Amino acid sequence: LIMTVFLARSSRQTLLLNVPRIWTLPAAFLLAVAVHPLVVLLAQGITATYPLSEDMLRRLEALTQVAQRAEIWQLLLVVALTPAICEELAFRGFILSGLRHLGSPWAAIGISSVLFGITHGLLQQSLSAVAVGLVIGYVALQTNSLWPGVIFHLTHNALSVLAGRMTPQGIEQHPWLDWVLYPTGGQAVPYAYRWPVLVVAGIVSLGLLWWLRNGKGQGCR
């Protein structure tokens, strides 16, 4: 924010603090819901290709125990809402806006997404974050606004938080979840989505991405 104030001619334009078309906000929410199963599938493939070390698994177990003890609103505040605002201001606001001067929207989206992934530290998480960053960057440029990306980011992280709180007992209490999820037996990705959900998610995601082309932003050509 300080760099924006001192270096940018218009903080509003640099950070994409434009008011989007109202329909793009629910569209971003639905897109995040649809993309989440695909990101989980990607995370499965990444962890299968690059397995976590025993030391990292122990650290993740410690973090999981802390998350299980925390109140759900605390997790949503720290893991979902705060990153959705701060990271979007940085990566789809200041950084993406600066990179657009390269003349290629796709280059701007790609570079900002890689930088977004690097900040996540853990290789497996970074690779997934790059993919998510590509989608959010596309949404930001198509709508010329930061806010649909914030909605997407918040929803995506919130779903991850809720999935992390999932237990076999919870699934037994809500049998419909058994049609959606199944346990993987892994620690990094304990639950995954069933293939009919993945098929529907892929179709809906493509449809929403195509629909967002009419968001009246810069566009990606």
Side-chain angles (χ1 to χ4, degrees):
L1 291 175
I2 293 173
M3 293 178 69
T4 300
V5 170
F6 282 100
L7 299 178
R9 294 180 180 178
S10 170
S11 297
R12 179 180 177 182
Q13 290 298 323
T14 297
L15 298 178
L16 291 181
L17 299 178
N18 305 308
V19 178
R21 290 191 166 191
I22 191 64
W23 62 265
T24 62
L25 299 178
F29 169 79
L30 293 174
L31 180 62
V33 174
V35 166
H36 192 263
L38 305 176
V39 174
V40 172
L41 178 64
L42 176 62
Q44 280 184 282
I46 292 171
T47 53
T49 306
Y50 304 104
L52 293 169
S53 65
E54 292 296 327
D55 179 62
M56 185 56 65
L57 288 173
R58 285 193 295 269
R59 294 184 185 184
L60 287 177
E61 178 62 26
L63 288 174
T64 300
Q65 292 176 2
V66 171
Q68 292 293 341
R69 291 193 298 267
E71 297 290 339
I72 189 67
W73 68 266
Q74 295 173 323
L75 288 175
L76 291 174
L77 176 63
V78 174
V79 180
L81 179 60
T82 301
I85 296 173
C86 297
E87 292 180 355
E88 290 311 305
L89 282 170
F91 292 98
R92 258 64 63 176
F94 184 80
I95 294 176
L96 182 61
S97 293
L99 291 172
R100 279 189 295 177
H101 295 299
L102 295 174
S104 170
W106 282 115
I109 292 173
I111 296 172
S112 62
S113 298
V114 170
L115 295 174
F116 176 62
I118 290 173
T119 61
H120 286 73
L122 187 65
L123 172 64
Q124 292 80 358
Q125 188 181 17
S126 294
L127 294 175
S128 296
V130 170
V132 173
L134 291 172
V135 176
I136 303 179
Y138 175 86
V139 171
L141 288 192
Q142 293 293 2
T143 61
N144 195 35
S145 175
L146 191 77
W147 303 117
V150 170
I151 295 296
F152 182 103
H153 201 148
L154 171 61
T155 304
H156 178 80
N157 284 16
L159 289 172
S160 298
V161 168
L162 296 175
R165 297 295 289 263
M166 196 70 64
T167 62
Q169 294 78 13
I171 292 180
E172 290 178 0
Q173 294 174 0
H174 304 282
W176 62 270
L177 285 174
D178 191 49
W179 291 81
V180 179
L181 299 166
Y182 69 92
T184 63
Q187 186 174 335
V189 187
Y191 289 93
Y193 291 86
R194 298 191 182 278
W195 70 264
V197 177
L198 293 170
V199 172
V200 173
I203 295 172
V204 173
S205 296
L206 290 174
L208 287 169
L209 289 170
W210 179 84
W211 194 31
L212 283 166
R213 294 190 309 166
N214 299 316
K216 297 302 181 182
Q218 175 180 341
C220 304
R221 299 179 179 85

